Amino acid sequence: MRLSVLPLLLCAVPAAAAPVTTMLLNDGWQARIAPADKGALIAHPREGRPFAAHVPGSIQQDLLAAGRVPDPFNGLNEGAIQWVGSTGWEYRRHLRITPAILARDHLDLVLDGLDTFATVTINGHLSLRADNAFRRWRIPAKPWLRLGDNEVVITFAAPVPTVQPQVLAAAHPLPGNYDSAFGDEPKGRQTSPYVRKPQYHYGWDWGPRILTIGIWQPVRLQAWDDLRIDRTRVDQQALSDVEARLGVAVHVRADRAESITVRATAQGPDGSIVEGVQQANVAEGVTRVTVPLIIPHPQRWQPAGYGAQPLYRVAVAVERDGVRLDAADRRIGLRTVELIRDAGAMGFRVNGIPIFAKGANLIPFDAFPARVTVAAMRPLLQAARDANMNMLRVWGGGTYLDDGFYDLADELGLMVWQDFMFGGGVPPPDPAFRANVAAEANEQVERLGSHPSIVLWSGGNEILAGWDNWSDRKAFKQAVGPDEQERVGVGLALLFDRTLRDAVTAGAPGTPYWANSPSDDYQGPVDTDAAGDRHFWDVWSGSKPVERYLDSCPRFMSEYGFQGAPELSTIKAFAGKLPLSPDSPVMRAHQKFLAGEGNERLLFYMRQRLGEPKDFPDFVYLSQVEQAQAIAMAALHHRACRPVTMGSLFWQLNDVWPVISWSSIDHDGGWKLLQYEARRFFTPQAIVAEHRDGATRLALVSDGTEPLAAHWRVRAFDMMGQRLGQRDADVTLAPLSATEAASLSDADLFAGAAPAASYAIADLAVGGREVSRTVIERLPPKDMAYPDPGLTATWQGNRLTVTARALARAIMLDFGAVVAHPSDNGFDLMPGESRTVTVASAMTPARLARALTLRSLGSRR
């Protein structure tokens, strides 16, 4: 719920008529090393003197802005900023209190986010000890405030030193995630599982270790007298084509029993308004008042590709004797969501329609979450929508995102799978930890629960799968013995099957809950093809061939991925003038898989399928081709497995910093070839061609809700473009389906041509227009005798036309160090075919033409 921000009253008013007022306190802060951290003061005396601090923000951001630390995103600088996260820090702000302010009955200091271990004093009085970066903290501050000048001091303790004594004293500390590369934690003794702080801050296999510290969310002073809104919720009690029945629950906090009026309105997308009024008697403390609203002929929110996204604005006001005392509002959508759970299935039915979930996993937008704006989030979400995605999974090792993210998802029709913030480490089993998490979960579900885009709350990422299957967890169980093993296991069940489930049941009753990802929601074994969702990493992490994606049909594939290098312009930006090669120091520093060894894994796969890169730009190109082809193979196979499989979410959409990773869009906003390919393999109607063992299996996929007349064909050619064979047929695509179309043997299709010297094109047309096309190769691309395609480029303003003389596979429009964003990339061209794209760039067309290199698999020979 967004609380209305009203000007702070500067003159005294009768207490009985005074509305709740709010004053933002984001400006005027200063920071310094905490005086108690003597070692840091000796090492960094300059930072012991106050400097300007920005709120919301972090100490690291302030030091970066002041030029006191190097940018950890550039070069080899990550290590140079580690000391900041290992140091205690102090924030300080003066606050002037006028007589009018002090006359209010209540003055609450509200801190929306403190990262993480913080002590708050007001005029020297201890007011709060905070220990959870995901919670909002409210301090009844009036007892410590005085007329005139006041001082608020927030002292932050560094997370690792705070928790490390407990971890070092434990004979067998709880298993965590990734060991530190900087010596601040012994191997295998990680503090992160014990701390309610974004887990990715401790480092991940795609991100740096930057332990941010600071006031990372807004601060405000809220003044009220004897009554205010504590929280609200909008429950969708029933939905039909005739009407929607809502219960607007308003929790009112009052100092005494009295009679009030609660008013609720819902404004529809067409501007129409319905209103409900409830007279209520409230008691001292918190009283829930529910106002019924009935919306006639409601408009349903639909996922992308299935209709529009109409939204309603629900506003509430609490009044006494006709005077408004407090108000709040939120935006909602009307829809129904249920999990498909028949016989081990896992999928989503939205408004009665079974939806195949197409999308990606979303990690945090930046290593510094406080600097992420709606403007920064919008291009990524729009890119997901433009690539025919309908779902994003907000991964559990990051943060609960700002309302602006979910507003964008609501508007774009992107369904959100929302993890609670557990990233893989085993959480403590003690009741105090669960109570802390319960407060966090209740607050976050209440804040976000009315967004129609959120179609699932999940307990977190890979905790249950790790507990059951990972070798370090098995070693932990053996080491601690059966009693402690049972205590930790019961703690997991209490947390994920009770605490978090209860928070969703109570706070978002129209949205399903899922115990963990992957899991079967405590119905059976985790991370299997047979039931629930899967994380499949045999390809890439397990070094298995990419063809392993074709071996099974999981019920819902919520994670699978393959790495690719970012654009060369992104690499040049972070590497500067440092030498570039797959094993150069700067490239290893910006490759976190296996502590920098991930580029060897890329080369391993290149040598299997595409060949040895000729130079560094060719390495970048081949890595992106391999990534795009591998994920396309998997995603199309998942779609062809419908209805057994009902979701395919690849890992991952974005990056937290410039890095070689599994992302389809790099940190600087550059689309890798995978992102362009996603637009093709997630197209609403698609042809799937899987070549194995001398035959091609064809399947036709449609996400449409109505039957569609279509035509498929497969044409075989030799490398000179001569037709070898063709098969085609008219078909009617059944709605919401995947249908086997044909099985074509090489002998029938290729007329005896050598595998290296022949290929086929499979395409699907709907309404006479080609909607999907794919190339069928009989051998790995490196073994195909592709000729030089003779690519040419013609410019007309910012429009570029590429023409191929012969078959051109995986064309990349490579602009080198120049930042440019073509409207299409990574496409294939048949002999004599052209493709025209637009190129967005700050550079002139002449500069772009000079920078352009046309790459393709045949051009490399």
Side-chain angles (χ1 to χ4, degrees), residues 24 102 124 161 173 189 212 283 302 330 380 473 529 581 683 704 707:
L24 287 175
L102 200 60
R189 290 184 172 268
T212 55
Q302 299 284 4
R330 70 194 322 160
L380 275 167
R473 274 60 168 166
D529 285 336
S581 69
T683 188

Side-chain angles (χ1 to χ4, degrees), residues 364 404 536 566 583:
F536 184 80
D583 62 351

Side-chain angles (χ1 to χ4, degrees), residues 413-428:
L414 291 170
M415 298 182 290
V416 173
W417 171 316
Q418 177 66 53
D419 278 3
F420 284 100
M421 291 302 112
F422 289 90
V426 177

Side-chain angles (χ1 to χ4, degrees), residues 368-390:
F368 301 105
R371 71 182 181 188
V372 177
T373 64
V374 172
M377 293 187 285
R378 185 181 296 275
L380 275 167
L381 270 70
Q382 186 64 56
R385 179 68 186 87
D386 291 345
N388 294 307
M389 298 184 193
N390 59 28

